Amino acid sequence: MSNFNRRGSRSRAGIGLLLAMPMMVIAGIWFASGHRSEGISSPTPGQEASPRMVAVLDLKVGDCFFAPSEGETTQASFGPVTVVWRVPCGRPHRGEVYAIAELHGATYPGGELESYRECEKLRPGYALDDWAIPDNVMPSHIDPDRTGMQSPGRSIAICTFDITGGMTSSLRQDRSRLTPQQLAYLDAEARLLVDAALVPATFVEHAPEAYRAWAGTLLQSGTSAVQVLDSCPWDGKAQQPVADRAGEMRELLQHLRAAQQSADTATLQREVSAAQHSMSSNTKKAAVRASLGLPSVPPTVPGAITLGSPAPTTGAAA
């Protein structure tokens, strides 16, 4: 039997918090996954007419669920379980699966880092707009433990949304309801968020070359984002806010380029910190979003830590 350890990481306020956190891990729910259930049909995810008990590994993208011991409204404070209740997303639930991430070369302990990164890459495909996700929702993932990592076909992470207090609707976002300008802007910002999630999970002084490589990766996605902002035919009221945001991004690119090309650790750390400061501001992003008719109030993200502080970790699988 392979245990699954559920961990969460909130990065929704913007790239600045991702820079501030080598990785932010929040203790959550432990699952003992057991074997896949046999003889259970697979209806359209989240659309069953009534609750159905399934093995954790039987969860599919779009499924909404809660654990057997928590009912429909209680806090998720329970021990190891082998199954969950899969429910229609229109009924109260505490979790929603937004992706299944395949892990490559993951090890134990430490596989949760790859799970975090792979889930962050996949999240925009399910919920592109971070600012449209309610504040009571935390991106999370269910990780295999040592046994799961070594078992053929078990090297996956189940990417989920943890929902405090419950919800009675799906968090899946319909891209077809976005205007071309909204979609172009959100896609450009999502590229930065995805690459920001690849930040080394250690201090700058402990892995300077890794930070330089990461700055180079983020530099590429930031350059692409600026090109989108410069080239898209924006409506009149959006032109100036978009131009202001593009200018802010260009300042970010200068710091990332300086970090990538830095010859010493002190310069690298200074430029990474400057990039963090540049990306943590939501003012220009909020102005663009308001001009495009998108939610313009940034989400509240509790528990952020500063660059250079250890990432909090609790509840590690035994």
Side-chain angles (χ1 to χ4, degrees):
M1 180 176 293
S2 65
N3 295 322
F4 270 70
N5 185 26
R6 188 172 191 167
R7 297 171 181 265
S9 125
R10 192 150 190 164
S11 58
R12 295 174 39 225
I15 307 169
L17 288 178
L18 281 169
L19 280 167
M21 296 180 284
M23 184 175 74
M24 180 178 174
V25 181
I26 297 174
I29 309 166
W30 286 19
F31 291 101
S33 64
H35 299 288
R36 288 184 178 275
S37 57
E38 301 295 337
I40 296 179
S41 60
S42 298
T44 302
Q47 299 302 315
E48 293 99 328
S50 60
R52 180 188 298 262
M53 186 169 284
V54 300
V56 171
L57 283 176
D58 284 322
L59 289 170
K60 303 292 191 300
V61 174
D63 280 345
C64 296
F65 62 93
F66 60 88
S69 63
E70 66 171 324
E72 294 185 345
T73 59
T74 60
Q75 294 294 318
S77 54
F78 48 86
V81 296
T82 59
V83 294
V84 294
W85 282 104
R86 183 169 59 193
V87 300
C89 290
R91 295 190 58 164
H93 56 272
R94 290 290 313 278
E96 181 172 349
V97 180
Y98 67 82
I100 305 295
E102 293 187 8
L103 308 182
H104 304 283
T107 60
Y108 178 88
E112 68 276 4
L113 176 58
E114 184 178 355
S115 298
Y116 160 73
R117 288 172 170 170
E118 292 302 315
C119 286
E120 284 297 299
K121 292 177 184 178
L122 296 170
R123 186 153 51 93
Y126 194 90
L128 176 62
D129 188 357
D130 276 1
W131 289 27
I133 299 175
D135 282 333
N136 67 324
V137 175
M138 176 79 73
S140 184
H141 46 89
I142 305 171
D143 304 321
D145 71 350
R146 187 194 310 272
T147 304
M149 287 288 185
Q150 296 173 349
S151 301
R154 295 290 180 90
S155 292
I156 62 170
I158 302 174
C159 310
T160 69
F161 289 118
D162 280 350
I163 306 164
T164 302
M167 184 170 287
T168 56
S169 61
S170 173
L171 292 161
R172 189 195 296 265
Q173 297 172 5
D174 185 357
R175 287 181 174 234
S176 68
R177 302 184 65 177
L178 297 171
T179 69
Q181 293 187 13
Q182 290 174 335
L183 187 59
Y185 172 73
L186 292 174
D187 272 330
E189 293 280 5
R191 296 178 195 178
L192 289 172
L193 285 173
V194 167
D195 284 341
L198 302 178
V199 61
T202 186
F203 303 116
V204 173
E205 60 270 25
H206 293 169
E209 290 307 315
Y211 268 93
R212 290 186 181 99
W214 170 76
T217 298
L218 198 54
L219 179 62
Q220 293 179 1
S221 57
T223 299
S224 297
V226 170
Q227 291 172 348
V228 170
L229 297 184
D230 286 343
S231 62
C232 187
W234 304 101
D235 289 341
K237 63 181 180 180
Q239 288 180 359
Q240 189 58 53
V242 168
D244 292 341
R245 175 62 178 145
E248 185 175 57
M249 282 192 179
R250 287 189 179 90
E251 293 180 5
L252 165 65
L253 298 183
Q254 291 177 3
H255 293 302
L256 292 172
R257 186 175 294 105
Q260 182 190 32
Q261 299 174 353
S262 61
D264 58 87
T265 303
T267 300
L268 172 62
Q269 191 156 26
R270 183 178 65 250
E271 294 300 335
V272 168
S273 296
Q276 172 196 345
H277 178 76
S278 175
M279 289 188 285
S280 64
S281 174
N282 288 318
T283 302
K284 290 181 172 59
K285 284 182 282 187
V288 173
R289 298 175 66 91
S291 71
L292 295 176
L294 293 167
S296 57
V297 178
T300 301
V301 183
I305 60 175
T306 59
L307 184 67
S309 299
T313 58
T314 56

